[in-house]
Amino acid sequence: MDNPKIDIDLDHEELDVVCERPDTLKDARMHYCPGCGHGVAHRIIMEAVAELGIQDKTIGVAPVGCSVFAYHYMNIDMQEAAHGRATAVATGIKHILPDHYVFTYQGDGDLAAIGTAETIHTVNRGENLLIVFINNAIYGMTGGQMAPTTLFGQKTSTSPYGRQREFNGNPLKITELLAQLPGAFYVTRQAVNNPNAVRKAKKAIINGFKYQELKRGTSFVEIVSNCPTNWGLPPVKANEWLVENMLPYYPLGDIKVPSKEDLQP
Amino acid sequence: MGELRLMKGNEALAEAAIRAGMDAYFGYPITPQSEVLEYLTREAWLRTKASILQAESEVASINMLYGAGGAGGRVMTSSSSPGISLMQEGISYIAGAEIPCLIVNVNRGGPGLGTIQPSQGDYFQSVKGGGHGDYRLIVLAPATVQEMADFVLEGFELAEKYRNPVLILTDGALGQMMEKVELRDQVDRAARKIPGWATTGKTPDRAANVLTSLFIQPEEMEQVNLRLQEKYKVIEQNEIRYQTIQVEDADMVLVAYGLSARISRKAMEICRAHGMKVGVIRPISLWPYPSQVITDAAQHAKAFLAVELNAGQMVEDVRLAVNGRCPVEHYGRMGGIIPSPEEIVTVIEKLYSQVS
Ligand SMILES: Cc1ncc(C[n+]2csc(CCOP(=O)(O)OP(=O)(O)O)c2C)c(N)n1
Ligand code: SF4
């Protein structure tokens, strides 16, 4: 069947603009697979930067992983880090620019495997950074290998019979672990699988940026995301799988929030 | 004249870094260079508000350096051999992203955990790579405590001029020995111009600055490499540093850097007193390497002897420069043993009798 002809004049003057690309996002087509959460996560971070009016004072650090090209989309100054080292790079930036807003954007392989030491020590020192952690329970970029966050029974290219404790150890709840550290100021787990979740995740990211002004420690925002391609599921099914399988193990919500006194300037 | 002090090499280096207007230092303790971190944590914040951070590892230190250098800071780290090995990943990224910074290796004996005594076993690692990919570090080799201090500001300036990491390759003996040192005046941190490429926050008047070593398209990656190689050629044309001592009439030329150059010079003096025409070429920049001065000396010299605290590493560069014009021998001690001048004189005498 032919596609129905849609006759909309997009340049029509009388159309109201409901939602625009903020200036903090470059006018570039993203390379992410259809339905992937990375694109949404990028957008809400950049919307947060635009709404806070801090584009000229924000430095981002891109990881190694599918979002390695984050700087192709985010219209802010950025540095690309080696696999796992993003929080060390961000620490360096913050020590030169203590009044700027610095964030890292990292996948689970990057942050919770190769970069575990850097992550723990950065948070434990209480560096005034925002760490955005995209947990899709798999290594996306290298083609779907097991991540520390891969769930029991989850099939990946390196856990072909499903992750088993005796061979592969346990899925790592790095976020809960980090929340134990005194340097962690704000720790929360959010998702981007539906509009309501996206709104909450964006609020968390805005908090993470604003808390840097207090210089009281690290903000850590986990975003439970998906990888339709390597999960071998179409986008809608992937989000269903996320709700059924990931959220029971990685429940959404705040894990550590600043007290009223913590928030006094 | 600057302020005169009696200082340890490591402390002179740290003091020079403060005076050079260093903005940040990131490091992790390892003998024989821990005094650098200790001195800086004691002095730097109080005097210039420079940020000094003891990292959790050398891997973290070098990546902090990457971030801080990328944000426009004048930044330094120091370590010793096993720590420098851990930094190689970051050094490759820093070279690839062209971020200026100063790295100091107070070389100790290896391989592995080795010994804490001085060595020159990291020559290959310093000048031939160490990390992955085609890149070069500018490598400076001090031979005195004075040079430990002097090469800091020089290193920062070279790094910033070429947007390239600079390595000071020294050793445990120079780090630990005390000598008189003349210190420069304090550079004002605030007066330094922050480069336009640094990630300091995108303002409306410019495009976003991106620092990366990732160029996934092969054509683009090749262009980046070609551009880097062009930069390295310019450095080779402009930044070769060396010292020659009585090379003009020498029948035999010793080639040595750093600590072994000091010993070689003494050996040369003993030989001269015995009527042997011996000279010394001391490469100061180990990369770019002073090949031409060796090639020139090979027009009249009858033999070369590379004296190193290793199994024979720099001797390969001497051989390349001499290019078969006359014999090139190597003498080295390892494991942290420092040869005496007399020991080297014995080697010279043997070689000298064969060629003259
Ligand atoms: C030192 C090093 N080891 C391994 C790799 C290969 N590598 C690239 S991306 C990646 C995994 C990334 O997974 P994750 O952080 O979960 O991000 P995702 O791709 O899922 O978004 C690996 C192992 C690398 N680039 N560098
Ligand atoms: S491989 Fe997975 S994580 Fe990577 S872009 Fe595709 S869907 Fe997203």
Side-chain angles (χ1 to χ4, degrees):
Chain A
M1 200 182 86
D2 285 348
N3 285 334
K5 203 166 174 306
I6 304 171
D7 199 11
I8 302 175
D9 179 3
L10 289 173
D11 293 328
H12 200 288
E13 285 168 14
E14 284 162 31
L15 285 178
D16 287 336
V17 176
V18 180
C19 182
E20 259 187 317
R21 178 177 55 79
D23 182 45
T24 46
L25 272 175
K26 290 179 183 167
D27 188 6
R29 184 172 299 186
M30 291 188 186
H31 69 281
Y32 299 114
C33 306
C36 174
H38 274 308
V40 184
H42 281 18
R43 182 168 180 115
I44 57 177
I45 296 170
M46 286 302 104
E47 282 180 358
V49 169
E51 285 168 29
L52 292 167
I54 55 170
Q55 185 183 20
D56 60 341
K57 289 197 95 182
T58 302
I59 322 288
V61 182
V64 166
C66 279
S67 47
V68 69
F69 284 131
Y71 52 79
H72 281 178
Y73 314 126
M74 300 183 179
N75 192 18
I76 52 166
D77 283 1
M78 288 193 79
Q79 297 193 24
E80 164 60 31
H83 197 29
R85 319 290 176 232
T87 58
V89 174
T91 299
I93 298 171
K94 195 77 185 193
H95 278 245
I96 295 297
L97 303 169
D99 297 323
H100 280 51
Y101 300 84
V102 180
F103 73 94
T104 69
Y105 183 98
Q106 298 173 264
D108 42 75
D110 192 80
L111 182 143
I114 192 167
T116 318
E118 287 81 0
T119 306
I120 289 181
H121 287 283
T122 301
V123 176
N124 194 47
R125 282 193 303 268
E127 299 288 346
N128 288 297
L129 306 166
L130 165 61
I131 300 173
V132 181
F133 168 47
I134 307 296
N135 178 6
N136 58 15
I138 206 159
Y139 286 11
M141 188 192 222
T142 40
Q145 294 85 10
M146 187 182 65
T149 47
T150 295
L151 299 165
F152 284 130
Q154 187 183 341
K155 286 185 182 165
T156 72
S157 67
T158 50
S159 57
Y161 309 110
R163 183 180 193 146
Q164 293 168 50
R165 191 197 311 269
E166 57 189 315
F167 298 130
N168 313 117
N170 303 290
L172 178 61
K173 292 186 183 181
I174 186 93
T175 305
E176 277 82 349
L177 199 141
L178 294 168
Q180 307 297 312
L181 304 174
F185 186 69
Y186 171 57
V187 181
T188 185
R189 181 182 287 120
Q190 304 294 332
V192 285
N193 59 311
N194 64 46
N196 192 28
V198 171
R199 268 192 294 275
K200 285 188 186 162
K202 182 172 158 186
K203 183 79 192 59
I205 284 161
I206 288 177
N207 287 343
F209 276 117
K210 289 193 70 160
Y211 290 159
Q212 291 191 48
E213 291 159 16
L214 300 166
K215 303 194 174 174
R216 303 244 163 93
T218 312
S219 292
F220 189 91
V221 178
E222 172 174 341
I223 293 180
V224 178
S225 186
N226 57 19
C227 179
T229 302
N230 289 305
W231 291 358
L233 294 169
V236 174
K237 284 261 179 304
N239 278 347
E240 286 168 13
W241 191 90
L242 180 153
V243 172
E244 282 160 26
N245 298 277
M246 283 192 72
L247 298 190
Y249 197 80
Y250 301 113
L252 302 185
D254 291 338
I255 300 172
K256 186 173 190 178
V257 286
S259 68
K260 280 221 171 61
E261 300 91 78
D262 287 339
L263 291 175
Q264 294 304 314
Chain B
M1 205 174 88
E3 188 189 340
L4 279 179
R5 279 206 221 162
L6 180 69
M7 292 184 101
K8 259 190 178 190
N10 287 335
E11 295 186 340
L13 177 120
E15 176 61 35
I18 297 173
R19 289 176 185 237
M22 178 183 69
D23 295 309
Y25 169 94
F26 308 93
Y28 187 79
I30 181 169
T31 312
Q33 63 77 57
S34 298
E35 294 89 353
V36 179
L37 175 61
E38 288 166 356
Y39 190 95
L40 289 173
T41 46
R42 234 174 20 241
E43 300 267 334
W45 175 255
L46 289 179
R47 284 168 43 194
T48 63
K49 294 275 172 290
S51 170
I52 311 297
L53 181 63
Q54 178 172 336
E56 65 271 27
S57 68
E58 291 85 352
V59 178
S61 311
I62 194 74
N63 284 285
M64 290 169 182
L65 205 66
Y66 175 117
R74 178 170 271 188
V75 294
M76 180 174 99
T77 186
S78 64
S79 189
S80 182
S81 312
I84 296 288
S85 291
L86 273 179
M87 289 186 186
Q88 292 302 334
E89 175 198 57
I91 293 174
S92 169
Y93 278 73
I94 287 173
E98 294 183 85
I99 291 172
C101 63
L102 185 60
I103 303 157
V104 181
N105 181 1
V106 185
N107 199 163
R108 65 189 231 181
L113 202 45
T115 163
I116 59 172
Q117 304 301 327
S119 161
Q120 294 179 329
D122 297 353
Y123 179 88
F124 281 155
Q125 189 194 46
S126 309
V127 306
K128 311 276 182 200
H132 56 286
D134 280 303
Y135 73 88
R136 292 288 189 177
L137 305 179
I138 299 173
V139 184
L140 302 176
T144 59
V145 172
Q146 182 67 54
E147 286 183 342
M148 289 281 282
D150 289 346
F151 289 0
V152 171
L153 183 60
E154 191 168 348
F156 280 134
E157 287 175 348
L158 280 172
E160 286 153 17
K161 182 172 172 190
Y162 294 103
R163 282 188 63 179
N164 206 69
V166 171
L167 179 82
I168 294 182
L169 182 63
T170 180
D171 65 70
L174 282 163
Q176 297 298 325
M177 76 169 63
M178 283 184 107
E179 281 183 326
K180 186 180 73 175
V181 52
E182 184 182 338
L183 298 162
R184 293 167 198 254
D185 293 340
Q186 179 67 47
V187 172
D188 180 11
R189 272 185 62 198
R192 202 169 60 83
K193 209 168 150 276
I194 303 302
W197 51 260
T199 56
T200 48
K202 185 209 168 313
T203 43
D205 57 325
R206 65 158 170 84
N209 284 339
V210 172
L211 296 173
T212 183
S213 56
L214 171 68
F215 304 96
I216 205 104
Q217 298 299 337
E219 294 77 13
E220 199 188 350
M221 186 75 254
E222 185 172 47
Q223 285 309 314
V224 169
N225 268 295
L226 289 171
R227 193 174 50 67
L228 285 176
Q229 295 305 320
E230 282 305 314
K231 176 172 89 172
Y232 300 150
K233 274 194 202 128
V234 175
I235 298 174
E236 284 185 298
Q237 276 155 18
N238 297 326
E239 309 300 348
I240 289 174
R241 288 153 169 70
Y242 59 87
Q243 189 189 2
T244 55
I245 312 158
Q246 301 201 40
V247 172
E248 306 74 34
D249 67 338
D251 286 333
M252 202 173 141
V253 178
L254 309 181
V255 188
Y257 67 93
L259 184 64
S260 53
R262 288 174 75 128
I263 307 163
S264 297
R265 185 185 182 139
K266 191 79 200 154
M268 180 207 87
E269 283 163 8
I270 299 171
C271 290
R272 284 270 170 184
H274 288 85
M276 287 185 280
K277 287 185 181 168
V278 176
V280 174
I281 294 177
R282 170 166 87 98
I284 295 174
S285 57
L286 300 183
W287 192 87
Y289 194 70
S291 304
Q292 190 59 47
V293 66
I294 294 174
T295 308
D296 292 348
Q299 303 300 330
H300 57 79
K302 298 196 179 84
F304 282 75
L305 176 68
V307 182
E308 304 177 72
L309 304 183
N310 59 37
Q313 300 192 15
M314 184 192 66
V315 63
E316 295 188 1
D317 289 325
V318 180
R319 286 206 179 103
L320 280 172
V322 170
N323 201 12
R325 289 182 186 88
C326 61
V328 178
E329 297 295 329
H330 173 264
Y331 183 74
R333 299 293 303 266
M334 287 171 282
I337 292 177
I338 305 174
S340 65
E342 291 71 23
E343 191 177 331
I344 293 165
V345 169
T346 315
V347 181
I348 296 171
E349 277 170 347
K350 195 163 157 234
L351 202 57
Y352 204 88
S353 66
Q354 285 166 9
V355 293
S356 61

